[in-house]
Amino acid sequence: NYGPTSIISNILSYIIFIFIFCASAIVLYVKVVRASFNSKRYLKLLDDKDIAWKYKTIEKQVVETFYVVQEAWTNNKIEQAKDYMDQDLYEQFKIKLEWMDMNHRRNVLKKIRLVNLKPVSVYDDKDDKKDLIWFYIKGKMIDYIVDTETNEMISGVKRNHSFIEFWRFVKNDKDRWVLSEILQEDESKKINFQ
């Protein structure tokens, strides 16, 4: 029975769903902005003692890493991004891409754009190998998977869409910041926001 009450009920349910979705996104973004402010203040203090914490240098490395990793992934040539990741993440990505290749899959990424990045958590340890920074990453891209034998799209969409991820960077042996983990937006609770 699809009477006026049913239609109104469906519309109200939809509005409530949208409101809850938007509210959680707003709460997360407020948390990100506050954490970013605190993280940048802390980075300034650290920079006064150690040049490896200079924010502009770190930010430049994060931006470069973002584009290099995305390109290497979509071209199935993750070795091109090896210097931008720690060994564990590199091995994980290599295994995933080998599996995709064996199964005739390719993740096509196009119109890749980094829209926003903010540091949200900074940890300075006496042991420099344990130093880390989490970044909020907002990007836009076309992202879909194709069958490499038939060239048919298996999943994803061929339109530009936004995404939010959290990228963890650690210092390697050369004092360069490298990517060590990527979390999706819904995994943000795993991060200790500043």
Side-chain angles (χ1 to χ4, degrees):
N1 189 347
Y2 293 104
T5 310
S6 176
I7 293 170
I8 291 170
S9 174
N10 287 341
I11 291 171
L12 282 175
S13 295
Y14 182 73
I15 290 170
I16 290 168
F17 171 77
I18 294 295
F19 176 77
I20 290 169
F21 178 77
C22 290
S24 65
I26 290 167
V27 167
L28 177 61
Y29 193 70
V30 167
K31 197 178 192 180
V32 164
V33 169
R34 186 180 306 127
S36 178
F37 177 78
N38 292 334
S39 295
K40 283 182 179 176
R41 257 190 13 212
Y42 187 44
L43 283 165
K44 183 77 184 115
L45 292 172
L46 293 172
D47 175 28
D48 292 342
K49 295 184 284 183
D50 183 352
I51 192 74
W53 288 102
K54 186 169 181 64
Y55 180 69
K56 284 294 173 192
T57 304
I58 297 168
E59 183 182 54
K60 186 177 171 200
Q61 289 177 11
V62 171
V63 171
E64 188 178 342
T65 300
F66 177 82
Y67 287 105
V68 169
V69 168
Q70 303 292 5
E71 288 294 327
W73 179 268
T74 195
N75 293 329
N76 199 3
K77 295 183 178 175
I78 204 65
E79 63 278 357
Q80 293 174 342
K82 189 174 186 176
D83 293 340
Y84 295 84
M85 307 182 209
D86 73 359
Q87 191 62 34
D88 290 344
L89 187 63
Y90 173 74
E91 291 299 329
Q92 286 175 33
F93 277 22
K94 191 174 171 201
I95 289 166
K96 284 180 185 176
L97 285 173
E98 285 169 358
W99 180 89
M100 287 176 73
D101 195 41
M102 284 181 351
N103 289 282
H104 311 289
R105 303 287 185 261
R106 179 170 164 243
N107 192 183
V108 178
L109 306 177
K110 295 179 181 176
K111 296 187 179 179
I112 302 161
R113 193 163 65 104
L114 179 56
V115 176
N116 196 348
L117 75 142
K118 295 180 182 308
V120 293
S121 184
V122 177
Y123 178 71
D124 178 32
D125 196 273
K126 288 176 186 167
D127 178 359
D128 284 349
K129 288 181 174 62
K130 294 181 181 174
D131 291 349
L132 66 88
I133 304 176
W134 277 101
F135 276 89
Y136 161 90
I137 300 279
K138 181 174 184 179
K140 271 189 121 165
M141 69 172 71
I142 296 170
D143 180 1
Y144 58 93
I145 294 177
V146 294
D147 183 314
T148 55
E149 291 185 321
T150 65
N151 225 17
E152 284 182 39
M153 188 172 90
I154 296 167
S155 65
V157 286
K158 288 188 176 183
R159 66 174 166 74
N160 221 339
H161 69 281
S162 296
F163 64 93
I164 291 171
E165 293 177 335
F166 292 89
W167 289 28
R168 183 178 69 185
F169 285 79
V170 296
K171 267 196 260 178
N172 68 7
D173 297 336
K174 299 169 190 156
D175 260 2
R176 178 179 165 79
W177 292 93
V178 294
L179 181 62
S180 66
E181 186 177 2
I182 297 175
L183 295 177
Q184 300 306 307
E185 181 178 9
D186 61 354
E187 297 176 290
S188 66
K189 287 181 176 61
K190 296 178 182 177
I191 300 167
N192 184 16
F193 284 86
Q194 204 77 32

